[in-house]
Amino acid sequence: MQKHQIIYELASLRVMLIYLQPRNCPITKIEWRLLMQSTEANRFSLNYRNGLPQDLLQLCAKYPRESWDKHPNLGERVQFWLSRHDMFREMIVMLEDCCQKLSNNLIDAEEFSQWFIPRLSFLLNHLDLHHKVEEFHLFPIFAAAETKLIDGFSILETDHQSIHLFADNLKTELQALFELKNKPRDEVKRAGENSTMKFATLSKGLVSHLNDEEDLIVPIVLYHSEESLGLI
């Protein structure tokens, strides 16, 4: 296991310990939660926005996405974090393909459930852990380094809540589909359509969130470096 992956796993354990605070970060966890509650993230929820507000993208303008790969401050930690995002995107594409096959009657509801549900569970389990690491370990560090971007991290946390709500709605539809597997074909078809629609909402929101999250966070790392942020 590579060093940066070990650090990621250790951070995963840290979020379960309530007394532990992010290292090299002057904002305590309680202060961070109060900040999150006091901002206006709901104005920019995944349901309404198209990208982050421009005032949160000043560093991104200075460090555009096409320059990231060649920047010397793109260290192992952020590269590993980005690789998790890429994994989520790959899973979304696979799951979308399965939904398309169901919609085109290339597979039936039972085949869909057998393939789709385990892979969705894999995605959501890893996503939940990833979000905890971000909220309890990474976001407070980045917000302390760039206090003018605190509202951006409030927006991202609200995104996490929305994504998990989308996932819960999808699980409800999948359960309904599973329970109808021996019912009339029209009922099963409607339940399958509902499931694919709920997944479309989840996938659209997640991909949008990942893009916005990277636009906010990667430029901070490039500007400050992983070492000065205490990520090494």
Side-chain angles (χ1 to χ4, degrees), residues 7-227:
I7 290 177
Y8 182 92
E9 298 298 337
L10 288 174
S12 303
L13 293 174
R14 290 180 62 179
V15 304
M16 307 301 175
L17 304 177
I18 194 168
Y19 61 85
L20 206 57
Q21 298 176 7
R23 62 179 170 177
N24 298 340
C25 177
I27 299 179
T28 68
K29 189 167 69 176
I30 293 175
E31 291 170 336
W32 170 250
R33 290 295 169 189
L34 289 173
L35 280 169
M36 293 301 97
Q37 294 170 11
S38 67
T39 52
E40 298 182 341
N42 287 335
R43 292 174 51 208
F44 304 104
S45 73
L46 277 174
N47 294 323
Y48 303 110
R49 76 171 191 269
N50 181 22
L52 292 173
Q54 287 302 309
D55 61 334
L56 298 177
L57 295 174
Q58 295 176 8
L59 276 179
C60 191
K62 188 174 182 180
Y63 299 96
R65 188 174 284 261
E66 57 269 21
S67 71
W68 293 355
D69 287 344
K70 298 179 180 179
H71 199 284
N73 284 346
L74 190 76
E76 290 184 351
R77 311 299 176 265
V78 73
Q79 287 183 53
F80 179 74
W81 177 77
L82 286 169
S83 76
R84 307 301 285 186
H85 282 199
D86 289 340
M87 181 187 76
F88 298 145
R89 291 185 178 101
E90 290 170 5
M91 291 297 300
I92 286 291
V93 171
M94 293 169 58
L95 293 165
E96 285 177 338
D97 180 66
C98 186
C99 288
Q100 191 63 43
K101 288 179 178 177
L102 179 66
S103 298
N104 293 336
N105 297 316
L106 298 176
I107 56 175
D108 61 27
E110 185 171 358
E111 291 172 312
F112 171 79
S113 297
Q114 289 176 351
W115 194 95
F116 187 88
I117 292 175
R119 288 160 180 81
L120 176 69
S121 296
F122 176 89
L123 170 64
L124 297 181
N125 288 339
H126 281 268
L127 195 61
D128 181 60
L129 177 59
H130 186 77
H131 287 171
K132 286 184 170 68
V133 171
E134 289 175 338
E135 292 175 12
F136 289 87
H137 180 65
L138 297 177
F139 287 180
I141 291 175
F142 297 138
E146 290 291 333
T147 55
K148 62 181 178 293
L149 299 181
I150 281 178
D151 280 355
F153 292 100
S154 180
I155 291 172
L156 295 179
E157 279 212 13
T158 302
D159 284 357
H160 290 176
Q161 297 170 19
S162 296
I163 289 166
H164 290 292
L165 178 60
F166 297 157
D168 288 342
N169 292 338
L170 172 58
K171 291 176 187 176
T172 299
E173 294 299 337
L174 288 171
Q175 181 62 34
L177 177 62
F178 179 79
E179 292 173 354
L180 287 172
K181 64 180 181 179
N182 295 320
K183 297 292 184 178
R185 185 173 179 178
D186 288 347
E187 291 184 43
V188 175
K189 182 175 177 60
R190 283 195 297 272
E193 291 172 348
N194 290 338
S195 295
T196 57
M197 287 174 58
K198 294 298 183 183
F199 179 72
T201 300
L202 170 64
S203 62
K204 179 182 177 181
L206 177 55
V207 170
S208 177
H209 166 75
L210 294 175
N211 293 336
D212 291 345
E213 194 169 61
E214 291 167 3
D215 285 343
L216 188 69
I217 288 175
V218 174
I220 295 176
V221 177
L222 300 186
Y223 180 69
H224 289 278
S225 82
E226 290 183 353
E227 183 175 5

